[in-house]
Amino acid sequence: RAADRFYPSANGTATLAFEDLWPNYGDYDFNDMVVDYRYQFVLNANNNVVDLKGDFTTKALGGSFNNGFGVQLGVSSSAVGSVTGTNITGTAVTIAGNGTESGQTNATIIVFDEAETFMPNTTGASFVNTISSNPAVTPAVANVVINFSSPVAEASLGLAPFNPFIFIDQDRGREVHLAGQQPTSLAN
C-alpha cells in the first residue's frame, strides 16, 4: 500500500439520485433514493488497486418502496478477496463467502438490501428528508472496504462511480441503473 487516490476528491462527495418508478411515467422527482459517495483507491507501488473503499451516505428516501442499493465493478467476483461494511438484513440477496453478491458475473457489492432498515424513518412523517416541513432524519453511512485477491489495474474496475443501482421493493430482479449502464446478471 503505497498511495491513495480519491474520487471525486479527498474531502468532497458526489451524489446519486434514483427514481424507483422508472421507466413508468410518474413523478420523476429523483428523490426515491439519494446517496452521496466517495471512493478511495488504495494503490501499491505499481499503481494497481489493492483496496477500494467506498463511503456511501444515504441522505433521502422519498419513495414508498423498500429498495436496496448496490454497485457493480468491471472485474469478476473472483477478483475480490473480501468485502466489509455492508448492511444486509433481509432475504432478497445472497452473499458469497467473499462478500460479493452470489450469481453475478462481475463483482457486485450490495451496500444495503433494505433502505427502511438501513435508514429508518423515526419521525412518523411521510418519506425521509424529502419534505422540508417534516422532521429530519440523520443520514445513514456505510463505509465499505473491498479488498482484492490480487492487485488489479484501476482501468479494469471501470470509471467511478462504476455501475451503481437500486433494486425495487425487495424484488432483486427489478433494477434501476444510471443512464447508459447495463443491468447485472440477476436483473430480469
Side-chain angles (χ1 to χ4, degrees):
R1 291 168 173 79
D4 292 320
R5 194 178 72 70
F6 295 87
Y7 182 88
S9 70
N11 299 313
T13 60
T15 302
L16 300 164
F18 293 95
E19 173 57 50
D20 62 15
L21 292 178
W22 189 92
N24 298 324
Y25 290 106
D27 55 357
Y28 273 39
D29 53 12
F30 288 87
N31 71 354
D32 295 333
M33 186 176 296
V34 179
V35 178
D36 285 354
Y37 68 93
R38 175 187 312 115
Y39 289 107
Q40 176 184 355
F41 299 81
V42 180
L43 307 172
N44 66 11
N46 295 323
N47 284 325
N48 289 321
V49 182
V50 177
D51 301 310
L52 178 62
K53 299 178 180 181
D55 297 329
F56 302 96
T57 303
T58 302
K59 302 193 72 168
L61 300 171
S64 58
F65 296 138
N66 188 14
N67 301 322
F69 172 69
V71 177
Q72 187 171 68
L73 305 175
V75 296
S76 73
S77 296
S78 64
V80 174
S82 65
V83 177
T84 59
T86 60
N87 188 286
I88 308 300
T89 57
T91 59
V93 299
T94 303
I95 303 299
N98 67 352
T100 63
E101 186 177 28
S102 296
Q104 296 282 9
T105 303
N106 287 355
T108 303
I109 313 306
I110 302 300
V111 177
F112 57 85
D113 61 342
E114 295 183 336
E116 292 174 0
T117 302
F118 184 63
M119 186 176 174
N121 184 353
T122 57
T123 68
S126 59
F127 309 120
V128 178
N129 297 345
T130 60
I131 300 172
S132 60
S133 61
N134 286 354
V137 173
T138 302
V141 179
N143 302 112
V144 176
V145 179
I146 304 161
N147 176 262
F148 295 99
S149 303
S150 299
V152 297
E154 189 174 334
S156 68
L157 297 173
L159 296 174
F162 309 110
N163 186 5
F165 64 95
I166 61 174
F167 60 92
I168 310 304
D169 206 23
Q170 301 304 291
D171 178 351
R172 184 55 195 89
R174 192 168 163 215
E175 299 178 351
V176 175
H177 292 257
L178 300 180
Q181 295 291 340
Q182 294 298 309
T184 74
S185 300
L186 296 180
N188 61 18

